[in-house]
């Protein structure tokens, strides 16, 4: 995913930059399209190759990366200059009436003029490709910073989840429920095998995220079998909606810890997804303890809740909403609102019917 995004960014930047640089020449140079278009295309191709080289240099020590990067820019600029001179020598006399009278061009019909044109083109392309390389390096640095922040947020979540689950297993052992504890350990092993291999920078289809949460709820139901049920509501057509991996995990954990574990009566946890225009709404709802004390402290103080807000901010900027709090009927609800994004290549006709499972 990261490599695909970098290639796309490099292409967009290259097309934008060289189109902007060429507009003035296209407008001022009569009949210049035939001589400028090949150079425009070759510049974009060379820019993409340069971006690939710069990406491979990222793993080198800083001084070596800078040195090889400068050489790569010079080599790219020289290659483009050679192409420019060749195009001018072969095409220029036929499409540029007036020859040397055209501003910015010295028709390379002699060796001296070819050298002059090469020097002019080399200087110009060195500046252009140097600016492009600087922009690519800046984009890569920003992406690396964001990647590091996202990975730190995800890895902060794993120990938190593991502690809660192991605490549940310990509770079963203390109760003398060895068989249920064994099943829970096996379920935990499968769950961790999946979650610990997820890339925190990759979004996942909603159906996969909900499947993981169903596995976790099955783990906890082993402990609270007599007073815990869960209801999953996934409308048809939303299975391929993209969400950050494990974004629902802290909400499910809180529902179990503060809803089920703190209550003496049966509690149902409802995990629901729905669509409103171009927005995806996810919610986790559970019953409150009889005295409502489990959520006494201000919302957002927990590690998991704070982690969700940080991840959403890093991923979506200001295009998200996150709210938690009591609602009517003695319930507590946590809701996430995100831009609706679907997996490419999937149509609604390929999606299975609505999922509405109660356990």
């Amino acid at each position: 995913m990261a490599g695909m995004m970098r290639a796309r960014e490099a292409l967009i930047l290259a097309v934008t930059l060289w189109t902007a640089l060429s507009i003035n020449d296209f407008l001022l140079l009569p009949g210049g399209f035939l001589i400028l278009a090949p150079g425009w295309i070759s510049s974009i191709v060379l820019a993409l190759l340069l971006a690939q080289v710069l990406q491979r240099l990222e793993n080198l020590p800083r001084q070596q990366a800078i040195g090889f990067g400068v050489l790569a820019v010079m080599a790219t600029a020289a290659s483009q200059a050679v192409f420019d001179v060749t195009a001018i020598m072969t095409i220029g006399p036929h499409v540029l009436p007036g020859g040397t009278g055209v501003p910015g061009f010295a028709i390379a019909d002699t060796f001296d003029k070819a050298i002059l044109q090469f020097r002019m083109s080399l200087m110009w392309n060195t500046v252009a490709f140097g600016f492009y390389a600087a922009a690519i390096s800046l984009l890569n640095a920003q992406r690396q910073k964001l990647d590091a922040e996202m990975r730190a947020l995800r890895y902060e979540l794993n120990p938190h989840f593991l502690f809660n689950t192991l605490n549940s297993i310990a509770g079963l052992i203390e109760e003398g429920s060895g068989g249920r504890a064994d099943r829970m350990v096996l379920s935990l092993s499968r769950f961790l095998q999946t979650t610990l291999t997820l890339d925190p920078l990759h979004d996942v289809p909603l159906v996969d995220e909900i499947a993981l949460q169903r596995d976790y709820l099955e783990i906890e139901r082993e402990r609270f079998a007599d007073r815990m049920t869960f209801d999953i509501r996934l409308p048809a057509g939303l299975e391929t909606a993209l969400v950050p991996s494990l974004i629902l995990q802290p909400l499910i954990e809180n529902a179990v810890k503060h809803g089920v574990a703190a209550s003496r009566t049966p509690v149902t946890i409802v995990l629901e997804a729905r669509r409103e225009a171009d927005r995806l709404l996810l919610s986790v709802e559970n019953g409150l303890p009889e005295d409502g004390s489990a959520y006494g402290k201000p919302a957002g103080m927990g590690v998991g809740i704070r982690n969700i807000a940080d991840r959403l901010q890093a991923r979506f900027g200001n295009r998200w909403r996150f709210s938690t709090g009591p609602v009517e009927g003695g319930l507590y609800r946590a809701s996430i609102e995100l831009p609706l994004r679907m997996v490419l290549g999937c149509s609604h006709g390929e999606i299975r019917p609505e999922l509405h499972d109660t356990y």
Side-chain angles (χ1 to χ4, degrees), residues 41-91:
I41 295 174
S42 65
S43 295
I44 292 174
V45 172
L46 288 172
L48 295 179
L49 293 175
L50 177 60
Q52 291 293 320
V53 172
L54 294 176
Q55 184 172 344
R56 294 179 182 276
L57 295 178
E58 291 178 4
N59 296 326
L60 295 179
R62 179 176 176 81
Q63 291 183 347
Q64 293 184 22
I66 293 176
F68 284 117
V70 171
L71 291 177
V73 169
M74 293 297 296
T76 306
S79 299
Q80 183 60 40
V82 170
F83 182 91
D84 290 342
V85 172
T86 303
I88 290 171
M89 291 176 62
T90 56
I91 304 176

Side-chain angles (χ1 to χ4, degrees), residues 1 11 47 58 106 142 156 169 175 247 257 321 327 344:
M1 177 68 73
L11 175 60
E58 291 178 4
Q142 292 176 338
E156 177 185 310
I169 294 174
E175 296 171 3
I247 196 66
K257 180 179 179 181
R321 292 182 183 177
V327 294
L344 296 178

Side-chain angles (χ1 to χ4, degrees), residues 159-175:
H160 178 67
F161 150 73
L162 187 57
F163 171 81
N164 284 349
T165 307
L166 291 177
N167 188 53
S168 298
I169 294 174
L172 285 177
I173 295 174
E174 290 177 0
E175 296 171 3

